[in-house]
Amino acid sequence: PAAVSWYDEFQRLYDTIPCVEVQVLKEHNDQVLHLSFSHSGCLFASCSKDCTVKIWSNELDISLQHSSNMRPYNWSYTQFSQFNSDDSLLLVSGVFVGPHNSSSGEIAVISMENFTLLSRVRNKPYDVFGCWLNETNLISGNLHRIGRITSCSVLWLNNAFQGIESENVNVVKRLFKIQNLNASTIRTVMVADCSRYDSPDLLLDYEEQLAASSTSTCPVFDLGSDSEEEETKPKQTPEPAVQELPDDGGVTAEDGLQQFFDDIMEGRVRPAMTETELETKVAELFVRNRTKPPELNLLPMDSNSKTKYLIFTTGCLTYSPHQIGIKRILPHQMTTAGPVLGEERRSDEFFDSLDHVIDIHGHIIGMGLSPDHRYLYVNSRAWPRDCVISDPMQPPPIAEEIDLHVFDLKTMKEVKRALRAHRAYTPNEECFFIFLDVSRDFVASGAEDRHGYIWDRHYNICLAKLQHDNVVNSVAFSPVEQELLLTASDDATIKVWRSPRAVRVQQARKPRPRKLLFSWLLNQNS
């Protein structure tokens, strides 16, 4: 939209893409899993299977500034990091040493002033990762089993300075409590700030957004459907897969549950249900009358709103994450002040419902926000079009081709066709997160095909493939210079990529050896 001419656009696409390898960092001795920049762009952090988090100085030549080994805290490896808004603290997420099927993790907070460990917070399951809500408070997860395939995810707000706070001040507070069906859990939490939605850096599909902005409800929609129509009836249940009870003249959920049990005992339920189906049905009926209704008006009303969205992966049909849940966080919820268990609840509000659910119809393996938090980019591996899930412990096979979806968080609609080029090969039970990142003009992602990829956000075209010797797990643009990109790989390296233009500028700054030699000879002759 800001292009002056096609020649300028060609020059931008040719000359400003960070596709020239300028440095390889080999300080890690195992797979590098994640990269994150500070907001100033002066530092970045890397996490690895070698159980260290390393802090790097982003100068002309990148250098290692500090390394923290987390093995003394019984960690198996570090997996994710994030700087807080003023870059004074670093959140580091890791996995505990334990049995193969252990799902426990921990979050550590490190001071950037002297690299000391300030606090540690339990995090379960570990792939919740955790994230900052504001400068001093972070979000973690916990998981409580209710049945074999039914559980409850609790999201907690934690103060980063737990060790030094007064005993009279709360350092934790429960944010939300959400029921999980069919072995699903909440994972991969992130926070989106709504305040810039009316002045985004880049606007995609503007006409469609204008037409959609008049819609007052936020329905669930399914990307696996061929239909362009969406249900306009607001959902009152936390999971879209829950079917409505038949209308029996105002029968309550409790009456329906009792009737269901009576039908089972008297043999009126046909065909017979499996134990798994029975547990799911009972959980659905129970939660119907024990859930706080969702916020009906999810869309932010003005650009001055201090509301934030909590975004996470979830599901309703199987354990593999196939839905994106969105829950509004109001200003009074953004502090640990008040009761530890959060707002008072009525007896019929045991669970919180989701304000919005997006069904991806596939296994979600990555999410990232645009710099202005207006757009959500999602990596997923699609399920077969007409697949039926009869056993939540056996999800459908997933495609090798990765789809990169784009959603407008103001209208809650998909606004671009899926970007494609990158691939993944691991099956459902071994599938892992592939981190992506978004700059003003570009979006980048890792892949299992030993390459990182860069697309243009304006034209949806793949611009570059960045080679490694193994799986590329994470990518990160500098927040102040999108012509600098980092890629992290299972080959235990971090590669630094700059645009052709940036390389020319960098070379121009360096003194030329021939001129130095000529000056030295002149001095010798004199």
Side-chain angles (χ1 to χ4, degrees):
V4 176
S5 67
W6 283 114
Y7 175 78
D8 289 340
E9 276 298 88
F10 172 78
Q11 191 173 36
R12 178 183 72 83
L13 294 174
Y14 176 80
D15 216 24
T16 66
I17 304 164
C19 59
V20 181
E21 181 185 316
V22 296
Q23 195 173 354
V24 181
L25 308 175
K26 301 180 179 181
E27 279 77 356
H28 283 289
N29 54 36
D30 207 336
Q31 302 169 4
V32 188
L33 302 180
H34 185 255
L35 299 164
S36 64
F37 268 100
S38 63
H39 295 82
S40 68
C42 297
L43 301 173
F44 70 88
S46 58
C47 295
S48 169
K49 280 287 184 74
D50 65 14
C51 207
T52 66
V53 54
K54 298 186 187 297
I55 315 297
W56 307 79
S57 178
N58 180 26
E59 298 173 348
L60 201 58
D61 285 320
I62 291 171
S63 59
L64 181 63
Q65 191 173 64
H66 178 77
S67 180
S68 292
N69 181 15
M70 302 304 291
R71 289 202 192 279
Y73 305 102
N74 207 34
W75 284 26
S76 178
Y77 57 89
T78 59
Q79 60 172 352
F80 174 83
S81 65
Q82 185 182 45
F83 289 85
N84 70 340
S85 57
D86 65 2
D87 295 335
S88 62
L89 302 173
L90 179 68
L91 176 155
V92 182
S93 176
V95 180
F96 271 143
V97 174
H100 177 68
N101 59 354
S102 173
S103 63
S104 292
E106 193 171 69
I107 296 171
V109 178
I110 297 175
S111 168
M112 287 293 96
E113 183 179 359
N114 51 17
F115 302 113
T116 56
L117 183 64
L118 297 178
S119 59
R120 292 158 56 202
V121 175
R122 287 295 178 97
N123 192 39
K124 184 178 182 179
Y126 60 81
D127 49 4
V128 169
F129 293 119
C131 65
W132 291 106
L133 177 61
N134 48 42
E135 287 184 8
T136 58
N137 293 301
L138 59 102
I139 296 173
S140 66
N142 201 358
L143 185 66
H144 303 282
R145 294 291 176 188
I146 299 175
R148 191 175 71 88
I149 58 169
T150 309
S151 63
C152 173
S153 287
V154 181
L155 297 171
W156 291 90
L157 187 63
N158 308 268
N159 194 299
F161 301 97
Q162 295 190 12
I164 57 177
E165 285 288 345
S166 165
E167 62 180 14
N168 298 318
V169 178
N170 287 343
V171 293
V172 297
K173 185 172 76 173
R174 187 175 66 191
L175 270 179
F176 305 116
K177 184 165 57 173
I178 297 167
Q179 188 202 43
N180 304 311
L181 299 176
N182 289 318
S184 65
T185 60
I186 286 178
R187 313 176 188 187
T188 319
V189 297
M190 60 176 58
V191 171
D193 189 341
C194 309
S195 61
R196 293 189 58 195
Y197 283 5
D198 290 332
S199 56
D201 295 333
L202 174 66
L203 201 58
L204 306 175
D205 287 357
Y206 185 63
E207 291 81 7
E208 181 181 350
Q209 292 174 25
L210 281 179
S213 63
S214 61
T215 305
S216 61
T217 59
C218 298
V220 174
F221 63 99
D222 185 350
L223 297 179
S225 171
D226 291 329
S227 173
E228 294 294 331
E229 297 181 358
E230 299 177 2
E231 296 177 22
T232 56
K233 181 180 177 181
K235 302 292 182 182
Q236 298 297 319
T237 61
E239 301 289 351
V242 176
Q243 298 178 354
E244 294 296 329
L245 287 170
D247 187 2
D248 293 327
V251 175
T252 66
E254 287 186 357
D255 293 337
L257 183 59
Q258 185 61 53
Q259 182 66 49
F260 180 63
F261 284 139
D262 292 343
D263 289 343
I264 292 175
M265 297 302 294
E266 297 175 17
R268 292 196 296 266
V269 175
R270 292 291 185 270
M273 288 186 173
T274 65
E275 183 179 337
T276 296
E277 292 170 335
L278 179 60
E279 180 180 329
T280 299
K281 186 66 175 178
V282 170
E284 289 175 351
L285 290 169
F286 175 77
V287 78
R288 193 74 54 83
N289 209 37
R290 291 289 184 271
T291 300
K292 187 177 180 180
E295 301 286 346
L296 294 181
N297 186 17
L298 179 61
L299 303 180
M301 300 305 294
D302 60 79
S303 58
N304 295 321
S305 171
K306 294 183 179 180
T307 301
K308 296 183 179 182
Y309 290 159
L310 181 64
I311 302 171
F312 45 84
T313 63
T314 182
C316 65
L317 302 176
T318 179
Y319 69 82
S320 64
H322 56 277
Q323 294 179 322
I324 298 166
I326 299 176
K327 185 70 179 171
R328 189 193 321 215
I329 307 176
L330 301 174
H332 72 272
Q333 296 173 310
M334 299 182 192
T335 172
T336 56
V340 171
L341 297 181
E343 301 172 354
E344 290 188 8
R345 299 164 179 262
R346 301 197 309 266
S347 60
D348 60 346
E349 294 182 347
F350 187 80
F351 296 109
D352 294 291
S353 59
L354 305 186
D355 295 326
H356 190 79
V357 178
I358 301 172
D359 200 312
I360 300 296
H361 197 74
H363 192 130
I364 299 170
I365 60 170
M367 294 196 301
L369 289 164
S370 60
D372 55 18
H373 287 204
R374 173 73 180 261
Y375 298 98
L376 177 68
Y377 287 73
V378 181
N379 268 335
S380 75
R381 296 173 62 184
W383 291 338
R385 182 175 296 275
D386 298 317
C387 66
V388 176
I389 301 175
S390 56
D391 183 352
M393 304 311 294
Q394 294 183 349
I398 50 180
E400 289 187 353
E401 191 171 51
I402 302 174
D403 296 328
L404 182 50
H405 300 281
V406 190
F407 298 97
D408 184 345
L409 292 178
K410 181 175 181 179
T411 64
M412 296 294 168
K413 291 181 178 290
E414 187 173 21
V415 295
K416 287 282 188 180
R417 62 178 176 83
L419 309 180
R420 288 176 179 161
H422 48 333
R423 304 181 75 84
Y425 308 109
T426 51
N428 266 307
E429 64 273 12
E430 300 174 16
C431 208
F432 53 87
F433 218 68
I434 294 178
F435 294 94
L436 58 94
D437 198 20
V438 188
S439 69
R440 176 183 168 84
D441 296 308
F442 307 126
V443 54
S445 174
E448 292 184 39
D449 58 12
R450 303 183 180 186
H451 289 86
Y453 289 82
I454 303 175
W455 293 264
D456 182 73
R457 292 181 65 195
H458 301 271
Y459 303 118
N460 284 0
I461 54 174
C462 184
L463 299 173
K465 292 176 65 176
L466 313 175
Q467 188 166 4
H468 272 267
D469 294 330
N470 211 324
V471 172
V472 178
N473 295 305
S474 180
V475 297
F477 286 103
S478 166
V480 296
E481 182 189 1
Q482 68 173 0
E483 295 179 39
L484 168 63
L485 177 71
L486 307 174
T487 55
S489 171
D490 277 0
D491 62 18
T493 68
I494 300 169
K495 289 191 175 183
V496 184
W497 308 83
R498 294 187 184 273
S499 68
R501 180 172 67 179
V503 170
R504 291 197 305 271
V505 172
Q506 189 175 13
Q507 290 174 343
R509 292 174 180 171
K510 293 182 177 180
R512 296 182 180 180
R514 287 185 178 179
K515 286 189 175 182
L516 291 174
L517 178 62
F518 183 68
S519 300
W520 180 79
L521 289 173
L522 286 178
N523 291 334
Q524 290 295 104
N525 292 335
S526 61

